[in-house]
């Protein structure tokens, strides 16, 4: 795909006011993945976090995720790094055992067994392969986001497999949180707060 127009796909949105169909790009398209890594190399961006929502995780291998190998190949070709991130939004209402099984099976079957972590392009920190769990938060815990017990069990599982675990959190007050979720934050190797759009910047020059 050479032109921007060729990278657009018909969406399920309503027809635009000018009568044209609503078109969007698809992050799993081979040409778009290649373009993203072209841009990363061009503009000096070293690493990409490959974010996948909890709701898309599968218990078994799925050909639907073959684009992940394309990401790996493009990262290798462009001398860039990548790592896997799960967005756990929506997982809080799932029973803990079911949630753990779903993420564990998805990671083993669709990530590890496909050779992604073994790639020279897979990001490491402190000598360990990186994984990020976004959406671990004391706010809406057990509702939108996993409970403290579920979050800790998931972190412990990845640690047990030798991973460097990053927590991505929308919890602005994570540094002052105590109790069970305070223990969750303390167990992470790194915390990545979600600052974008979280604070009122009015009056800031």
């Amino acid at each position: 795909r050479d032109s921007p127009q060729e990278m657009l796909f018909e969406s399920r949105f309503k027809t635009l006011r000018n009568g044209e169909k609503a078109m969007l790009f698809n992050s799993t398209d081979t040409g778009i993945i290649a373009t993203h890594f072209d841009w990363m190399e061009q503009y000096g961006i070293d690493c990409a976090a490959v974010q996948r929502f909890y709701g898309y995780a599968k218990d078994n291998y799925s050909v639907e995720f073959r684009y992940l190998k394309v990401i790996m190949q493009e990262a290798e070709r462009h001398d860039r790094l990548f790592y896997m991130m799960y967005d756990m939004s929506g997982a809080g209402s799932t029973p803990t055992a079911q949630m753990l099984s779903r993420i564990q099976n998805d990671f083993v079957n669709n990530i590890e067994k496909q050779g992604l972590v073994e790639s020279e392009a897979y990001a490491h920190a402190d000598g360990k392969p990186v994984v990020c769990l976004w959406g671990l938060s004391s706010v809406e815990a057990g509702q939108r986001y996993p409970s403290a017990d579920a979050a800790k069990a998931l972190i412990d599982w990845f640690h047990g497999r030798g991973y460097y675990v990053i927590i991505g959190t929308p919890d602005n007050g994570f540094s002052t949180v105590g109790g069970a979720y305070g223990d969750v934050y303390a167990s992470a190797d790194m915390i990545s707060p979600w600052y974008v759009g979280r604070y009122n910047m009015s009056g800031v020059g």
Side-chain angles (χ1 to χ4, degrees):
R1 301 176 188 276
D2 297 321
S3 71
Q5 189 62 35
E6 290 177 331
M7 290 188 175
L8 295 177
F9 297 81
E10 185 175 340
S11 73
R12 288 178 289 181
F13 288 110
K14 292 182 178 180
T15 301
L16 302 178
R17 290 182 179 179
N18 62 5
E20 295 181 359
K21 294 180 178 179
M23 307 290 282
L24 296 171
F25 79 92
N26 181 347
S27 293
T28 67
D29 177 73
T30 299
I32 289 176
I33 292 171
T35 298
H36 282 167
F37 279 93
D38 284 342
W39 287 345
M40 286 177 64
E41 183 175 7
Q42 182 179 354
Y43 294 104
I45 300 171
D46 297 322
C47 184
V50 183
Q51 187 181 55
R52 301 169 66 231
F53 282 94
Y54 167 75
Y56 287 94
K58 306 287 187 183
D59 281 314
N60 300 302
Y61 169 73
S62 174
V63 69
E64 175 186 351
F65 303 135
R66 60 185 178 273
Y67 67 87
L68 295 174
K69 278 199 170 182
V70 177
I71 291 174
M72 177 186 72
Q73 292 161 0
E74 289 297 324
E76 292 172 350
R77 187 166 72 89
H78 290 278
D79 196 25
R80 304 294 101 179
L81 299 175
F82 76 101
Y83 64 92
M84 304 309 302
M85 174 190 293
Y86 284 100
D87 187 324
M88 300 302 294
S89 300
S93 59
T94 305
T96 297
Q98 181 180 336
M99 181 275 288
L100 290 173
S101 176
R102 186 173 189 173
I103 293 296
Q104 291 167 0
N105 287 329
D106 180 82
F107 196 82
V108 169
N109 292 314
N110 290 300
I111 308 301
E112 289 183 338
K113 287 186 177 180
Q114 304 313 309
L116 300 180
V117 179
E118 296 175 359
S119 169
E120 61 185 15
Y122 197 90
H124 284 64
D126 292 344
K128 302 174 182 178
V130 174
V131 66
C132 180
L133 304 172
W134 194 94
L136 301 189
S137 174
S138 63
V139 179
E140 296 185 78
Q143 301 173 47
R144 182 179 183 183
Y145 304 118
S147 67
D149 289 344
K152 186 63 166 56
L154 189 56
I155 292 169
D156 288 347
W157 183 79
F158 277 106
H159 275 159
R161 297 179 78 80
Y163 286 87
Y164 181 97
V165 179
I166 302 172
I167 284 179
T169 181
D171 189 347
N172 291 339
F174 71 89
S175 62
T176 61
V177 171
Y181 237 101
D183 293 338
V184 171
Y185 292 136
S187 69
D189 297 296
M190 173 179 159
I191 295 179
S192 176
W194 184 40
Y195 286 128
V196 179
R198 299 291 287 180
Y199 297 104
N200 184 348
M201 301 299 288
S202 61
V204 177

